[in-house]
Amino acid sequence: SGILYFNSNIFIKDIPIFAKVFDLTGKQLMSNELIDRKIDLSKFDNGIYILELFQGNQITRNKIIIKKL
């Protein structure tokens, strides 16, 4: 469906989480606040992306691979 859900204990429950998605050249493709701890990546083409999540002073970076069938 293209929806990515976050069910991690890393994040504090009542503090907003912000997400940024970058391509491998470093171009920012999206920046949103996560609503209900989920992000919609359905509009992205197949490929490898970098997902940054921000909450307060904490930043996590993850490589995500989108492969649609």
Side-chain angles (χ1 to χ4, degrees):
S1 71
I3 305 292
L4 186 60
Y5 294 90
F6 299 93
N7 294 320
S8 174
N9 293 331
I10 295 173
F11 301 107
I12 301 169
K13 183 177 181 180
D14 295 324
I15 297 177
I17 302 170
F18 296 91
K20 292 182 180 181
V21 177
F22 300 88
D23 65 16
L24 292 181
T25 68
K27 180 180 177 185
Q28 183 176 314
L29 305 174
M30 184 172 80
S31 179
N32 286 332
E33 180 177 352
L34 297 185
I35 305 298
D36 297 326
R37 294 184 178 247
K38 64 183 177 182
I39 187 169
D40 184 358
L41 301 174
S42 62
K43 295 179 183 172
F44 286 89
D45 293 328
N46 289 347
I48 300 172
Y49 301 90
I50 303 298
L51 173 65
E52 289 187 347
L53 300 174
F54 301 84
Q55 187 182 52
N57 293 330
Q58 182 176 345
I59 300 173
T60 61
R61 289 181 185 89
N62 299 283
K63 177 173 66 171
I64 56 174
I65 300 170
I66 297 177
K67 185 175 181 183
K68 300 175 185 178
L69 300 177

